[in-house]
Amino acid sequence: MQPQPLLLLSLLLLAVSSPLLWLLRPHRFRHVGWVAAIPPALVTAMLLTQLQPVSQGIFLHERYPWSAALGLEIILRLDGLALFFGLIVAGIGAAVALYTGYYLEDHPRQGYFYSLLFLFMVSMLGIVWSDNLLTLFVFWEGTSITSYLLISFEHEKKEARDGGRRALIVTGFGGLAMLAGMVLLGQSVGTYTISDILFTPNLDASPYYGVALFLILLGAFTKSAQFPFHFWLPGAMAAPTPASAYLHSATMVKAGIFLLARLHPALSGTDLWFWSLLTVGAATMLLGAVSAFRYYDLKAVLANATVSQLGFLVMLLAFHSEAAYVAAVVGILAHALYKGPLFLVAGIVDHATGTRDLRRFARLGRELPWVAATAVLAGLSMAGLPPFFGFLAKETLLETFFHHAEHDVPWVGWLGLGVAALGGALFVGYSLTLLWEAFFRREAPEEAAHVHHAPGFGFVFAPLALTLVGTAIPFVLTAVEKPLLTPTASAIAGHPVEVHLALWHGVTPTLLVSLAAIAVGVGFFAIRSALRRLLATTPSWLNGTYLFDRLIYGLYDLAAWSTRTVQGGTLASQASVVLLAAVVALVGALTQVRWPEDLPIDWSAGVYFEEVVLVALAIVAAITTVRAQTRLNAIVSIGVVGITVTLFFVIFDAPDLALTQLLVDILTVVLLVLVFYKIPPQSLPPLSRVVRIRNLVVSVLVGLLGFGLTLFSVGPRFLPTISDYFSLNAVPGGHGANVVNVILVDFRGFDTMGEITVLAIAAVGGYALLRSARLRPRPADRIALNHDSEEG
Amino acid sequence: MPELYLRLLDRILTPILLILAVFLFLRGHNEPGGGFIAGLAAAAAFQLQILSRGDEYVRRLIGPYLHPMAGIGLLVAGAAALIGFRQGGFFKGVWASIHLGQLELDFGTPQLFDLGVFLVVVAVVTSFLLGLSKSEASEGGEEA
C-alpha cells in the first residue's frame, strides 16, 4: 500500500478547484475548458495507476477521523467497483469539463456552473469510494443538492425551477428512506463499515432485513429514476446539456445502480431482492423505451432512453449469477460511453442550430460531419448493434435469461427473455429514429434549422474521444477484462469471478434472439409515426409528472386550508385554539393522577398576610382588565396583574423570574400603549353573546388547568425530581452559582438554542408583517384589529 | 412624540439601563441576571430612546444592525455549542481560568452562549419595538 493519501488528495483537488474556477470568472477566456479538464484528468490518471494493484487485490485504504463523538469517520477504499466507477466519474468528468467551456462560452455564470460541476464530482467520487454507510449517505445528498442546483441553473425559466424541485423532492425523499434503511442495517450488523457488512453471513435472516432492504431500494430506485419515480429524469433535462450528459446519464443516475452493486453481496440472493429488482427494472425499461418514441426534443428522447437503460441495468442486478455481474459492468461502462457523448452531441446541435426539435432538421450530417460521425458511432452502440459495445451488454443480458430459463425457473427465464428482447427491439427503434431524423433525413417536416455557429475543435473533441474509447473497447476486450472488468465483477459478486467476454460466440440461440430483436427494432423505426400518434393519445393522468404536481399542489392547498381553519380570524380566536389544545393535552395527563393521595394539600403550612394581599390584588386587577371600558384602563390593569406576579416571585425567592417578569411587563405595557395609540380612541364595542361565552369557557378551563398543574407539581412525584441534580451540579459542573442561568445556558442549552432560534424567526416574520401592514388601519380593519365583535 | 421631561429622563436613565444590562449579563452566571434578562434591559433602554427622541432617531442609529445582530447572536450561540466537541460533545461546556494576580476568572462556552442569547433578545425585541412605534411620518421607511 502506498503511503500517500491519494484518494483524499483527489477529493481535495476537485474541491479546491470548485471555488477557484468560480473566482477565475472563466467566461472571459476562450479555451478555458482545457484548463478546467486538468483536475479530473489528473484524478483519472491517478486511478489508472491503480488498475494494476487493484487487479492483484491491493486496495488503497484511507481512514480519517471526522466526528468521533458521533462515531463517524471517513473511510475511503478503492476496490474494483470503486475504481471502475471512479474512472467513469473522473474520465467523463474531464470530457464534460472541457466541453462546458465551449457550451457556455461567454455565459456570465459559467464559473458558477463549473463550481457546481466540481462539487458534484467530489460528492460522486465520495459515494463510490466511501467505505462507511453514513459517509456514503452524506455524499449521496451532496449529489442530490448539486443536481438540484444544476437543473435549476437557468432559474429564470419555470420548467428549470419545476424540474429541479421535482428532482430534489423525489431524490431527497428517497435519500431519507435510504438513510433509515442504512441505520437499520448498520444497527443490526453492528457496524457501518461497508466492507465489514458485505461479509456478514445470514443478513437476510435478520428481522430487519425486509424493511431495511425496502428502504434502501427506495433510495436506489429514486436516484436511478426507476418506475414509478422515473418522471423526474425527463424533467431534469432543463439543466444545461453538460449537466444532463454528466449527472443525468453518465454518473449520478447510476448512483442507485452503484448502491445495488455495492450492497449486492450482502443483500441479494433473496426472493424479495430478485423480484423487486426484476419487476421494477423491467417496467422501467419498457416504459422508458416506449416513451422515447413520444418526443421530438432530442434531449427528451435521450432522457427516456436513459430511463430505459437504467431499468435494464437494475434488471441485471436482480440475478445472482456471474454472467449477470459481468453484463452489468459492461452495461454500465457502455452506457456511460455512448449516452454521455450522445447528450454532448445534442448540446452541440442545439448550440449550432438553436433548436433540438427533431422535426426541424434536414441533412444536418452534411453540415456537421464530425458531430454526425460521433452520433452514429454512439447511437449504434445504444441500439445494441454488433460490433458495438452496447451489443455486448445486451448479448450478456439475453444470455443470463437463457441460463435462468434452462437451469432455474423456466417461465421466469423465458418471460424475462421476451421482455429483454422487446426492450432491445425498442432500443434499436428509437436509436435509429434519433439518428435518422437528426442527421440524415432529406426533408424536415417543419421549417428547417441551419447551422449558424459552427462548433470548434475542442467542442467536438470531448464527445468524439469518449465515443472512440467506447468503440474501441470491444476490439481490445482482453486488455480491459483483466485489469478492469474482472475486479469490478468480483466486487459485485463478493468473490473472485472469471470474466470471458467475446464479441463472437458463434451462432448461438442468443445471437438469433438478438438478430430477431434488431429486425423488430427496424420495424419499429419504420412505423415510428404511427407509434408517435398512438402515444400522443395517452391520457394526462397517466403521466408521473402530472400526478406528482397534483400531489404537491394538493399539499399546498392542505396547508392553506389548515391555516385558514386553525389560524384564521382574530387574535382571540387563535388564542382560544391554542389554549384549548393545551387543555385537552394536559387534561389527558392529569387523569392519570390518583386523587387525593397524589395531591395532599398541606393545610398546616399557614397563609401569610402578604400572600393574601397579593392574591386579592391580582384578582381585582384581572377583573378590572376584563371589565375595563377603555383600552388604557385595560392596559394599566393588566400591568398591575403582571406586577403582582413579579412580587410573588420575589417573596418566593425567584429573583431571576422576578427580573424577567418585571422587564417583560414594562415592555409589554409600553408596546400596548404604542399600538393602541395608533388606533382611534373609541370605546370598546360590546362583544357578542357567543364570543363572551367562549371566552368565559376558555378562561375557566385554563384557570382550572393551571390550578391543577400547580397542585400536582408540589405534591409527591412518581419520579425523583431533577431539580436536586441541577442544584447540586450547578457549581461543579456548570461553574455558576446561579442555577437558573446554568440550566438555561448549560444543562438545557440545547432548549435555549431552539428558543432563540424561534425568537429570531419570529422577528423576521414580525418584520414582514409590520412592513406590510399599515398601522393606521383602514376603516374596514378597525373592528377586526380591535376586538372580535365580528364573530358569532 | 419627544417630550421634554422624557428627554431629561433619557439623559440620565439610558446610560444607567445600558450599564445595568451589561452588569446583569456579566454577573448572570453566579447571581440573578443572564443574557435573556440583560437583553430585555437593553431593549428597555432603546424603548426609552424611542419615546424620548422619536423612532426615526433610533432607527437611524441602530436600525440597520438589528437583523444582522440577531443572526450573529444565533451564530455565536451555535459556535459556543460546537466548541463543546473539543471536550467530547455538542454543548459540552469548555472552561478556562484566567489568573490576574489574586483574581481568578472563569471563562467558558456557556457564557459565550449567553452572549448569543443576549444579542438575539436585544435585536428581536428592539426590532419589534421600532416596528410598532413607526411614526406616521416614517411610514414606508426601509429599515425597522
Side-chain angles (χ1 to χ4, degrees):
Chain A
M1 193 189 290
Q2 280 164 305
Q4 297 99 330
L6 286 175
L7 299 178
L8 185 72
L9 282 178
S10 306
L11 293 182
L12 287 180
L13 172 71
L14 295 171
V16 170
S17 311
S18 161
L20 282 184
L21 276 166
W22 196 349
L23 293 175
L24 182 68
R25 297 172 58 222
H27 62 276
R28 296 175 298 162
F29 308 106
R30 264 203 88 63
H31 296 291
V32 76
W34 294 97
V35 179
I38 292 174
L42 283 176
V43 176
T44 315
M46 183 283 286
L47 289 169
L48 286 173
T49 65
Q50 293 301 315
L51 280 174
Q52 183 64 20
V54 166
S55 66
Q56 292 165 356
I58 304 168
F59 303 149
L60 286 182
H61 192 266
E62 298 170 20
R63 203 175 195 134
Y64 307 97
W66 176 12
S67 170
L70 294 174
L72 279 177
E73 51 184 348
I74 297 179
I75 313 176
L76 302 173
R77 184 168 178 271
L78 194 75
D79 66 352
L81 189 63
L83 174 64
F84 173 74
F85 269 94
L87 275 173
I88 293 179
V89 173
I92 296 184
V96 169
L98 165 64
Y99 176 90
T100 302
Y102 296 95
Y103 184 80
L104 289 179
E105 61 180 345
D106 305 330
H107 195 297
R109 293 200 300 143
Q110 193 194 63
Y112 171 67
F113 185 86
Y114 264 126
S115 73
L116 288 178
L117 199 69
F118 276 68
L119 280 183
F120 166 76
M121 261 182 233
V122 174
S123 309
M124 192 65 208
L125 288 174
I127 292 180
V128 301
W129 291 347
S130 288
D131 198 27
N132 178 303
L133 281 179
L134 298 177
T135 322
L136 189 153
F137 169 77
V138 172
F139 285 120
W140 181 282
E141 295 295 284
T143 61
S144 290
I145 293 166
T146 41
S147 155
Y148 163 69
L149 292 172
L150 283 167
I151 297 170
S152 309
F153 179 72
E154 291 171 35
H155 54 77
E156 314 83 20
K157 294 185 185 160
K158 182 171 170 14
E159 72 259 27
R161 295 193 304 269
D162 286 352
R165 187 187 57 199
R166 273 183 220 122
L168 184 69
I169 293 177
V170 172
T171 55
F173 153 77
L176 287 178
M178 185 185 79
L179 176 65
M182 285 175 164
V183 170
L184 274 180
L185 186 64
Q187 292 297 336
S188 55
V189 179
T191 174
Y192 286 91
T193 308
I194 296 173
S195 47
D196 292 341
I197 292 174
L198 294 189
F199 301 106
T200 311
N202 295 329
L203 249 182
D204 49 325
S206 153
Y208 300 113
Y209 170 80
V211 186
L213 179 64
F214 174 75
L215 292 170
I216 291 177
L217 287 184
L218 265 184
F221 287 170
T222 49
K223 197 76 159 182
S224 285
Q226 296 298 298
F227 177 79
F229 307 111
H230 58 284
F231 58 86
W232 74 261
L233 187 56
M237 290 304 126
T241 304
S244 308
Y246 192 40
L247 276 74
H248 306 123
S249 103
T251 59
M252 188 189 86
V253 288
K254 298 231 178 64
I257 310 284
F258 167 80
L259 189 74
L260 297 177
R262 174 52 90 207
L263 298 175
H264 197 278
L267 298 177
S268 72
T270 58
D271 279 352
L272 185 60
W273 172 279
F274 180 75
W275 287 109
S276 341
L277 266 67
L278 195 66
T279 50
V280 170
T284 312
M285 177 173 84
L286 293 181
L287 190 75
V290 170
S291 308
F293 281 99
R294 183 173 171 170
Y295 298 95
Y296 291 102
D297 180 353
L298 261 177
K299 278 177 79 175
V301 175
L302 288 173
N304 283 290
T306 306
V307 170
S308 68
Q309 308 276 346
L310 291 169
F312 166 91
L313 292 172
V314 168
M315 249 169 112
L316 274 173
L317 287 169
F319 290 94
H320 207 64
S321 78
E322 299 195 354
Y325 309 145
V326 176
V329 174
V330 172
I332 292 165
L333 186 59
H335 181 254
L337 287 175
Y338 65 70
K339 191 57 66 59
L342 279 175
F343 267 110
L344 297 182
V345 162
I348 296 177
V349 168
D350 190 8
H351 200 264
T353 63
T355 179
R356 299 193 306 248
D357 191 331
L358 283 174
R359 285 167 296 197
R360 296 193 52 203
F361 298 128
R363 308 186 91 176
L364 205 56
R366 275 196 175 176
E367 295 176 76
L368 300 168
W370 285 102
V371 178
T374 310
V376 168
L377 288 178
L380 294 182
S381 186
M382 174 163 84
L385 297 183
F388 291 97
F389 205 3
F391 172 71
L392 208 58
K394 199 174 61 184
E395 281 288 271
T396 18
L397 174 70
L398 295 175
E399 192 79 55
T400 308
F401 278 118
F402 252 118
H403 190 268
H404 200 80
E406 284 172 358
H407 296 91
D408 294 305
V409 194
W411 70 269
V412 177
W414 295 122
L415 188 66
L417 191 69
V419 170
L422 179 60
L426 288 165
F427 290 4
V428 174
Y430 64 65
S431 306
L432 291 180
T433 305
L434 188 78
L435 290 177
W436 173 258
E437 296 193 346
F439 294 103
F440 300 105
R441 181 157 57 176
R442 283 169 188 281
E443 301 265 328
E446 288 175 15
E447 184 205 354
H450 288 286
V451 175
H452 51 70
H453 199 99
F457 167 71
F459 207 8
V460 187
F461 178 76
L464 185 60
L466 290 179
T467 311
L468 288 179
V469 172
T471 314
I473 285 182
F475 300 102
V476 289
L477 270 177
T478 41
V480 189
E481 244 170 39
K482 198 170 157 349
L484 188 61
L485 303 183
T486 310
T488 313
S490 305
I492 301 177
H495 53 81
V497 169
E498 289 291 311
V499 177
H500 295 294
L501 283 171
L503 261 182
W504 178 249
H505 285 283
V507 183
T508 58
T510 325
L511 184 69
L512 294 177
V513 175
S514 222
L515 290 177
I518 292 171
V520 175
V522 175
F524 281 139
F525 168 65
I527 58 160
R528 61 186 185 281
S529 346
L531 276 178
R532 277 173 173 159
R533 273 198 300 278
L534 186 68
L535 285 168
T537 59
T538 39
S540 63
W541 56 265
L542 263 178
N543 184 326
T545 311
Y546 172 79
L547 291 176
F548 180 77
D549 285 352
R550 281 293 297 270
L551 188 72
I552 294 297
Y553 290 123
L555 209 58
Y556 288 169
D557 290 344
L558 183 70
W561 173 82
S562 73
T563 309
R564 270 198 313 274
T565 321
V566 182
Q567 306 185 339
T570 60
L571 186 62
S573 64
Q574 280 188 41
S576 308
V577 171
V578 173
L579 292 173
L580 283 177
V583 169
V584 170
L586 286 169
V587 162
L590 282 178
T591 53
Q592 303 296 314
V593 178
R594 283 163 300 155
W595 191 273
E597 55 266 36
D598 280 339
L599 296 174
I601 300 173
D602 186 4
W603 296 108
S604 65
V607 180
Y608 294 97
F609 173 68
E610 63 267 29
E611 289 170 22
V612 176
V613 171
L614 282 178
V615 169
L617 199 58
I619 291 174
V620 170
I623 291 173
T624 316
T625 310
V626 177
R627 316 248 352 136
Q629 293 300 310
T630 64
R631 293 192 195 89
L632 198 62
N633 287 351
I635 295 169
V636 171
S637 317
I638 207 157
V640 173
V641 176
I643 301 291
T644 45
V645 174
T646 307
L647 288 173
F648 261 113
F649 286 137
V650 171
I651 61 175
F652 285 109
D653 291 332
D656 276 284
L657 290 180
L659 265 174
T660 313
Q661 178 74 36
L662 187 66
L663 283 162
V664 167
D665 243 300
I666 292 170
L667 291 172
T668 314
V669 168
V670 173
L671 267 181
L672 284 175
V673 171
L674 281 175
V675 171
F676 287 136
Y677 178 78
K678 313 272 177 192
I679 301 175
Q682 67 195 33
S683 61
L684 302 177
L687 299 179
S688 76
R689 204 179 164 72
V690 179
V691 173
R692 288 163 75 111
I693 292 171
R694 182 201 67 191
N695 290 355
L696 184 70
V697 169
V698 172
S699 311
V700 168
L701 282 176
V702 172
L704 281 177
L705 181 76
F707 183 66
L709 281 177
T710 314
L711 268 188
F712 181 58
S713 65
V714 298
R717 313 295 178 93
F718 300 99
L719 297 169
T721 144
I722 196 169
S723 25
D724 295 335
Y725 170 84
F726 286 148
S727 328
L728 286 176
N729 283 283
V731 176
H735 291 246
N738 179 358
V739 183
V740 175
N741 188 259
V742 172
I743 292 174
L744 275 178
V745 299
D746 202 344
F747 293 151
R748 290 285 160 85
F750 206 13
D751 291 0
T752 312
M753 184 82 211
E755 281 153 18
I756 57 176
T757 310
V758 169
L759 202 59
I761 293 169
V764 175
Y767 176 67
L769 277 178
L770 288 172
R771 274 196 63 167
S772 60
R774 296 159 54 86
L775 281 177
R776 195 173 27 167
R778 286 157 296 191
D781 292 342
R782 278 187 199 170
I783 304 167
L785 247 180
N786 180 349
H787 246 290
D788 44 359
S789 54
E790 275 184 331
E791 282 184 47
Chain B
M1 40 174 172
E3 309 275 354
L4 190 62
Y5 70 93
L6 267 175
R7 297 196 70 149
L8 192 66
L9 209 60
D10 165 51
R11 286 281 161 93
I12 304 163
L13 266 184
T14 303
I16 294 179
L17 273 172
L18 286 175
I19 290 171
L20 178 74
V22 175
F23 171 70
L24 283 172
F25 173 71
L26 284 180
R27 73 179 208 145
H29 216 57
N30 289 305
E31 314 263 347
F36 194 85
I37 296 172
L40 289 178
F46 290 124
Q47 177 61 52
L48 190 58
Q49 291 251 300
I50 294 171
L51 289 178
S52 60
R53 291 165 190 254
D55 59 307
E56 265 303 288
Y57 175 82
V58 181
R59 188 169 289 121
R60 265 204 312 279
L61 204 64
I62 55 166
Y65 303 112
L66 289 176
H67 284 141
M69 197 200 266
I72 289 168
L74 280 182
L75 283 179
V76 167
L82 287 176
I83 292 172
F85 272 122
R86 284 184 57 88
Q87 298 272 313
F90 196 49
F91 267 107
K92 192 99 177 162
V94 180
W95 288 89
S97 291
I98 296 174
H99 299 270
L100 296 170
Q102 294 290 312
L103 202 62
E104 185 185 327
L105 290 173
D106 271 0
F107 284 102
T109 50
Q111 284 161 331
L112 194 63
F113 183 79
D114 218 9
L115 179 67
V117 174
F118 171 77
L119 290 174
V120 173
V121 172
V122 179
V124 170
V125 176
T126 313
S127 95
F128 275 138
L129 289 171
L130 270 177
L132 281 174
S133 51
K134 201 180 273 183
S135 61
E136 267 146 51
S138 67
E139 226 168 83
E142 276 309 299
E143 290 295 332

